[in-house]
Amino acid sequence: MQPQVTGESVGNSRVGRLRQWLQGRRVGAFLITNLINIKYLTGFSGSSGYVLATGTSAGTSGCYFFTDFRYKEQSASEISSCDIVITKHDPIKFIIKFIEDKKIKKLAIEDTLCLRSYKMLSKRFALEALTDAVENIRMDKDEDELRHIKTAIQRAQTALLDIKPRIRVGVTERAIASMLENGLKAQGVEKLPFEIIVASGKYSSMPHARPTDKALEKGDLLIIDWGGESGGYFSDMTRTFLIGGGNDLGRKKEIYDIVLKANVRARESIKAGQSASDVDRAARAVIKDAGFAQYFGHSTGHGVGVEVHEKPYIAAVNKRQKIAENMVFTIEPGIYIPELGGVRIEDMVCVNGQAAQTITNLSRNLEIL
Ligand SMILES: [Mn+2]
């Protein structure tokens, strides 16, 4: 089963917002080709489709969904916000004719449009490539979306708590990943947002390590980065554990405490209206002041929704991105020291009023397993 974006909020309100946004621009229509954006706008979960949104025109939906015969029935059951048009042969040729019949001269496209389609469209229309038009709308989560994201979090957290008693010396990273994956499926997760990261000992210093056949050893730092899903929406979180009984635990506890402080400081610093780069700086300053700046080489967080990595990106370079109400994103500082190991603590927040509410709630105290 393909996960679906469900609920009444899909469709009219999202397409409506997009068309409203289009009104302020001097284009006749906007052709959306990114399937994730199409799924977000319409609820369509198939693998072939196009959306054409026109400015307001009284008495019509003003929005057309194109697909082929294979998805005729599916699109009819999933989509209520657009008029459905079944294409024949080459869908782009069909859509060109459709747009020409509407006397539209200037067409907006997504800047991710493939070159073949671009070449065909550019012969017939004046094109304007838009960057992140739908992605920007996606940042503003509604209640329905937030409910799914919270369910995705709950499924992920429950799955981890269920397997935690089985994490001990001698168990391999791969076995932990596989237990966790089974647990997520048992919780109702239909699609994993990404391959689970289980990284122990020296492998934990690689932020995106893949699980190996390495067995847990005494004194290992253990990073588990995993996510859940509900209704096509994802969650993403990371916890780091320490396997008891080893030497040199003091240094590992020290970096854990610094990362935890950075995580807390960043979450507490979040205010609507500030720049994403300010949130990044709040986390980075803690790690820098402790003397570990060179060991925190990735950005502080990212948005999560119908994609596990989406806008807003919480990064030092992202000064122009303002934090706004209803954004959902991660806070995930880390310190990674080759040979010693790594620590990352990742939570998700929702901007609510002036501050941020943390929506992941597994304990962040260092647990020695
Ligand atoms: Mn993440």
Side-chain angles (χ1 to χ4, degrees), residues 4-7 143-153 229-235:
Q4 290 176 16
V5 177
T6 53
E143 264 176 50
D144 206 37
E145 296 181 282
L146 196 57
R147 205 177 57 240
H148 276 307
I149 290 169
K150 286 179 175 172
T151 303
I153 289 171
E229 175 268 343
S230 167
Y233 285 83
F234 295 124
S235 70

Side-chain angles (χ1 to χ4, degrees), residues 21-51:
W21 179 88
L22 258 184
Q23 270 191 301
R25 307 190 72 98
R26 290 192 187 130
V27 292
F30 179 19
L31 180 65
I32 297 121
T33 43
N34 174 336
L35 271 171
I36 293 161
N37 288 338
I38 290 171
K39 182 176 158 193
Y40 169 81
L41 289 169
T42 67
F44 176 68
S45 66
S47 64
S48 181
Y50 303 82
V51 166

Side-chain angles (χ1 to χ4, degrees), residues 225 236 302 309 330 332 346:
D225 185 346
D236 184 10
H302 54 87
H309 294 121
T330 68
E332 51 179 308
E346 176 178 25

Side-chain angles (χ1 to χ4, degrees), residues 154-214:
Q154 197 204 338
R155 288 173 173 176
Q157 295 190 152
T158 305
L160 186 79
L161 290 176
D162 284 350
I163 67 146
K164 214 171 66 183
R166 293 150 77 186
I167 300 177
R168 58 170 76 96
V169 170
V171 179
T172 67
E173 294 171 352
R174 213 185 291 276
I176 295 168
S178 136
M179 286 190 285
L180 189 50
E181 179 165 346
N182 290 337
L184 289 166
K185 296 271 160 74
Q187 286 296 317
V189 168
E190 291 182 357
K191 187 178 184 238
L192 290 188
F194 54 89
E195 293 289 323
I196 297 166
I197 294 171
V198 177
S200 66
K202 65 174 185 179
Y203 295 132
S204 63
S205 66
M206 294 183 278
H208 274 185
R210 303 284 318 116
T212 69
D213 286 322
K214 178 190 168 299

Side-chain angles (χ1 to χ4, degrees), residues 43-64:
F44 176 68
S45 66
S47 64
S48 181
Y50 303 82
V51 166
L52 184 74
T54 64
T56 48
S57 43
T60 71
S61 76
C63 195
Y64 304 89

